Amino acid sequence: MQLRLKTKITIVMALLVLAVVGVNSTLYVMTVTRQVTRQANERAQLVTRHVFFQTQNALSDAAREGKAPASDSAEDLRAYVQNALDDSDSLRSSIDAEVGYSPLIYEISISDINGRILISSDASLSGKISPARTDLRQLVTNSFSGQIRALFGPPRAYEVAYPFKLGSPGNQVPFGVIRAAVQTGLLRSDIMPALRSAAVLALISVVVSGLLAGLVSSVSLSPLKRITAQLDRISKGEFDQQPLERRDEFGQVSTKISQIGMQLRGVREIFSTLRENLDQVLGGLDDGLLLFSLDGRAVMVSPAVERFLSTPSDRLLGCRAEDIFPPDHPVREAIKLVGGEFEPVASAEVILAGPDLPARRVGLSVEVITEGRTRMGALVKFTDLESRERISTQLQVSERMAQLGRITAGVAHEVKNPLNSMRLWLENLKESLPAGDEMPQQAVRVLDSEIDRLDNVVKRFLDFTRPPEMHQEETALKDLLEDVLAVERPQIDKANIKLITRFADAPLVLVDKQLLKQALINLFVNAIEAMPGGGQLTASLARRGELAEIRITDTGGGIAPENRQRVFQLFFTTRPGGSGIGLASTFRTVQLHNGSIDFESEVGRGTTFRIELPLARQVEPVLSRPRDARAAVVRNT
């Protein structure tokens, strides 16, 4: 989870205060712990000395009363001391008082040299061996962590021992030990108030510091919210932003952001203009272009690449060259891709096929882009060799048709004048022939019919070569195609052909309806006649950039390779009884509309004719119309 800056500052300040309070509290607890253990040690030593003095008084009182040991043996001496101590009410009262009024003293006892207890504040211990306890000085001199573990661990007793001797001065011998025991539970109880105070202080400090940190951060970071909102508006395209009216660092940052926003507005307008122009240029290219950066990623892909690699161009952007051209790709070996870097390739030829496209020959070139001696990237170019050959063939057909038109016009002109003269003399001959002679009359009628036939041929020549009178209007190709199919529907049904239509809502085109309708009828008639035993006829309409595309596909026998370059030639036909004018007329009609026509054919599988016509309302050049920054942003998102 991403934390806000305000939350981070609050947490950091609270942790800093907690750390400071924690250190101070630790030092305080350390001081209190050492003080309590030292006081317990000093108190225990004081108690043992006091009990020692009371013990001496008890022995003195017994001596004044005339009591003495029965002998010098250790047993008699111990019995004498035991009786003296038992008879001393002041000693017992003193021991009980020290245990009762001292919160740190756990138990006081007097034992002999063998550790057997003579008298104790705990009556149950009398006559028993004194339990082994650790010297309290070890706890006092231990480290702070050791003291805390001892005090807050299992209950444990420590003691202070004060040995004493018996006998006359100069002849004293060790007799016993006065022990004052201290329990860790009592010491812990004495320290707990200090610990509670430290914990409460730490908690209060953290809460107060957190509140103060939140308040301070809210006040100090309030201009940052306005700067963030300013950046958000600039990112949405609202570049004219007023800076904060402050003279501190926030005001300076806001002013610089406003200046950057103004610069971004200009840069975005220029970039949008360049990008739209580049998109238009790339969209009009038949060649596929892929521009790769130095690290081998595609940074520019033209729309035509989809026709070669069968992958949308937007999906290729940002992909690495190794992913676009895997090792098993037919292009991989031709582009010489080694270690993610391209090697120059002047020209190569590969065979590419898509899921719905037949195999075709594709030209390939790789140009390594350098600046000075530094490699910057690479440009991969795909060229449809078959399309170029078709375009070349169409240009040749156009040139031949133009030449043929000029020759035909001249021939028709030279033929028509003699025909007119022949018709005039034939009329004179008709009038001069005798009425009863049938043979001359029959010959004149034959001559008249042949002259009419020649005249019709000359008119057809002149109609084909003479530019027709165009009546162009904005037309919906979908409606026009439906009208043509309605006319051809009886012939389609009669030929047992299945008709499939795929008509998208393409924009309007500027065409002569009658001329284009006749051209389409020629294509449909050829497709129907190519499937005498039935088949499938597909008519589709779609938009391709600034062009409307019409496709007419049949499943007939296809066009033989040796005839493909002559398909659009005038009077060329492979069908018995055909005139060879239909496809030539269609080719001429498409050219008159500034369009293009080509075909793809495979023997035994069928033929597809494709017509491309410019839209009625072309997109204006970007540089010729006023710019709108926000509109440009919407188009590029």
Side-chain angles (χ1 to χ4, degrees):
M1 181 178 64
Q2 187 67 28
L3 297 179
R4 297 170 54 192
L5 180 59
K6 175 183 175 181
T7 305
K8 292 180 180 178
I9 292 176
T10 303
I11 293 175
V12 169
M13 293 183 67
L15 291 177
L16 288 175
V17 172
L18 179 61
V20 173
V21 173
V23 171
N24 292 333
S25 299
T26 302
L27 293 175
Y28 172 69
V29 173
M30 183 186 301
T31 302
V32 171
T33 302
R34 292 191 179 280
Q35 182 178 357
V36 169
T37 55
R38 192 164 44 248
Q39 287 179 352
N41 184 53
E42 293 174 353
R43 179 62 182 171
Q45 290 179 355
L46 181 62
V47 167
T48 56
R49 290 188 179 91
H50 180 70
V51 172
F52 172 71
F53 293 136
Q54 292 295 333
T55 301
Q56 286 184 328
N57 293 333
L59 294 175
S60 298
D61 292 341
R64 281 195 298 269
E65 293 176 0
K67 297 179 180 180
S71 66
D72 292 335
S73 64
E75 290 297 330
D76 291 340
L77 184 59
R78 182 184 183 283
Y80 167 74
V81 174
Q82 178 74 59
N83 293 329
L85 297 180
D86 290 338
D87 294 339
S88 177
D89 294 332
S90 60
L91 174 61
R92 188 170 294 279
S93 298
S94 178
I95 291 174
D96 293 338
E98 292 292 345
V99 174
Y101 293 103
S102 178
L104 301 178
I105 303 302
Y106 167 66
E107 184 255 334
I108 300 174
S109 62
I110 302 174
S111 61
D112 58 16
I113 194 67
N114 296 320
R116 189 174 298 277
I117 297 176
L118 302 176
I119 188 171
S120 173
S121 59
D122 185 359
S124 62
L125 296 178
S126 297
K128 296 180 180 179
I129 298 299
S130 176
R133 299 189 180 103
T134 305
D135 194 340
L136 184 57
R137 284 178 297 182
Q138 292 187 10
L139 180 62
V140 174
T141 57
N142 201 354
S143 63
F144 173 69
S145 59
Q147 290 177 341
I148 293 297
R149 287 195 300 270
L151 294 178
F152 290 89
R156 184 178 178 185
Y158 291 83
E159 69 177 12
V160 173
Y162 187 83
F164 67 94
K165 302 177 181 179
L166 294 179
S168 58
N171 193 25
Q172 291 182 333
V173 294
F175 176 78
V177 179
I178 300 174
R179 307 175 188 272
V182 176
Q183 193 187 41
T184 55
L186 298 176
L187 297 177
R188 183 171 60 243
S189 300
D190 201 29
I191 295 174
M192 285 303 297
L195 291 177
R196 293 192 187 96
S197 300
V200 172
L201 177 61
L203 179 61
I204 293 175
S205 300
V206 171
V207 173
V208 173
S209 64
L211 295 175
L212 291 177
L215 179 61
V216 171
S217 60
S218 297
V219 174
S220 60
L221 297 179
S222 58
L224 193 59
K225 294 182 179 180
R226 298 176 60 186
I227 292 176
T228 303
Q230 185 181 9
L231 288 172
D232 291 338
R233 290 191 293 270
I234 289 177
S235 65
K236 294 178 182 178
E238 302 175 9
F239 299 105
D240 298 329
Q241 298 295 321
Q242 294 297 326
L244 300 179
E245 296 180 357
R246 298 171 64 101
R247 296 184 178 180
D248 56 4
E249 290 79 0
F250 287 112
Q252 295 175 5
V253 172
S254 179
T255 301
K256 292 180 180 179
I257 289 175
S258 298
Q259 295 174 354
I260 292 174
M262 299 298 293
Q263 296 175 1
L264 283 176
R265 180 177 63 181
V267 171
R268 173 166 286 187
E269 290 182 359
I270 296 173
F271 177 75
S272 298
T273 301
L274 294 175
R275 181 172 181 177
E276 290 182 6
N277 288 335
L278 182 61
D279 290 342
Q280 287 187 0
V281 172
L282 293 178
L285 292 177
D286 291 331
D287 294 341
L289 299 178
L290 287 96
L291 180 63
F292 291 91
S293 61
L294 181 60
D295 60 351
R297 293 188 181 276
V299 295
M300 185 190 73
V301 182
S302 67
V305 171
E306 182 176 353
R307 294 192 291 110
F308 297 96
L309 302 181
S310 301
T311 303
S313 56
D314 55 349
R315 290 178 55 186
L316 297 177
L317 277 175
C319 295
R320 299 188 65 85
E322 295 90 341
D323 299 329
I324 300 176
F325 307 114
D328 58 345
H329 199 280
V331 177
R332 181 62 177 266
E333 184 177 356
I335 61 176
K336 298 180 180 179
L337 182 62
V338 179
E341 292 187 355
F342 291 90
E343 296 295 331
V345 177
S347 178
E349 183 176 325
V350 295
I351 305 298
L352 294 180
D356 301 325
L357 296 175
R360 53 180 173 169
R361 295 165 45 239
V362 175
L364 174 69
S365 64
V366 179
E367 179 181 356
V368 177
I369 302 173
T370 59
E371 184 176 351
R373 295 185 177 179
T374 304
R375 181 189 290 262
M376 304 298 293
L379 179 65
V380 179
K381 179 181 178 182
F382 293 98
T383 303
D384 192 342
L385 299 179
E386 295 181 358
S387 295
R388 284 199 171 186
E389 292 175 357
R390 285 196 299 268
I391 292 173
S392 177
T393 301
Q394 291 182 11
L395 289 176
Q396 293 177 5
V397 171
S398 299
E399 292 176 358
R400 291 174 182 174
M401 291 184 65
Q403 294 174 1
L404 181 61
R406 290 192 293 269
I407 295 173
T408 303
V411 171
H413 179 73
E414 294 299 328
V415 172
K416 193 170 183 61
N417 290 334
L419 285 178
N420 289 334
S421 298
M422 291 171 64
R423 184 176 292 282
L424 290 175
W425 284 105
L426 187 61
E427 292 296 331
N428 292 332
L429 183 60
K430 283 182 181 180
E431 295 176 358
S432 63
L433 288 176
D437 195 349
E438 184 63 27
M439 285 297 294
Q441 293 290 341
Q442 179 67 23
V444 169
R445 286 194 296 272
V446 171
L447 290 174
D448 190 26
S449 174
E450 290 301 313
I451 290 173
D452 288 340
R453 189 173 66 84
L454 288 175
D455 188 53
N456 288 332
V457 171
V458 171
K459 286 182 179 179
R460 289 173 64 186
F461 278 151
L462 291 176
D463 290 340
F464 187 81
T465 58
R466 184 186 302 116
E469 184 178 354
M470 301 278 289
H471 300 284
Q472 291 183 319
E473 57 182 315
E474 291 188 357
T475 304
L477 286 179
K478 181 179 179 182
D479 298 337
L480 185 63
L481 283 167
E482 290 176 348
D483 293 343
V484 172
L485 289 175
V487 173
E488 297 297 323
R489 189 72 193 205
Q491 190 175 355
I492 294 173
D493 294 339
K494 184 178 179 180
N496 194 24
I497 294 174
K498 179 181 179 182
L499 177 63
I500 298 176
T501 58
R502 299 188 182 98
F503 296 157
D505 292 329
L508 301 178
V509 293
L510 192 64
V511 297
D512 185 310
K513 285 186 177 180
Q514 297 304 320
L515 286 177
L516 185 59
K517 183 180 293 186
Q518 184 60 48
L520 294 174
I521 288 175
N522 292 338
L523 293 177
F524 280 115
V525 168
N526 283 355
I528 294 171
E529 292 178 349
M531 297 181 289
Q536 178 175 297
L537 177 62
T538 303
S540 61
L541 172 64
R543 176 176 177 174
R544 296 288 183 267
E546 299 301 325
L547 298 173
E549 181 187 73
I550 302 173
R551 284 178 176 263
I552 300 174
T553 304
D554 63 66
T555 57
I559 302 173
E562 62 271 14
N563 296 329
R564 292 180 184 178
Q565 295 186 358
R566 305 175 59 193
V567 166
F568 296 115
Q569 290 183 5
L570 186 63
F571 302 126
F572 172 77
T573 180
T574 58
R575 181 167 47 88
S579 63
I581 297 179
L583 287 180
S585 177
T586 299
F587 182 88
R588 182 167 173 267
T589 299
V590 173
Q591 283 194 324
L592 290 173
H593 288 90
N594 296 323
S596 64
I597 179 172
D598 62 358
F599 67 93
E600 297 174 354
S601 183
E602 187 174 353
V603 176
R605 299 191 63 177
T607 304
T608 297
F609 279 89
R610 184 176 71 248
I611 296 176
E612 292 183 342
L613 298 172
L615 302 182
R617 299 174 184 176
Q618 297 287 335
V619 178
E620 298 178 2
V622 178
L623 296 177
S624 65
R625 64 177 185 270
R627 298 284 306 152
D628 186 339
R630 283 177 291 183
V633 172
V634 172
R635 283 194 295 272
N636 286 283
T637 55

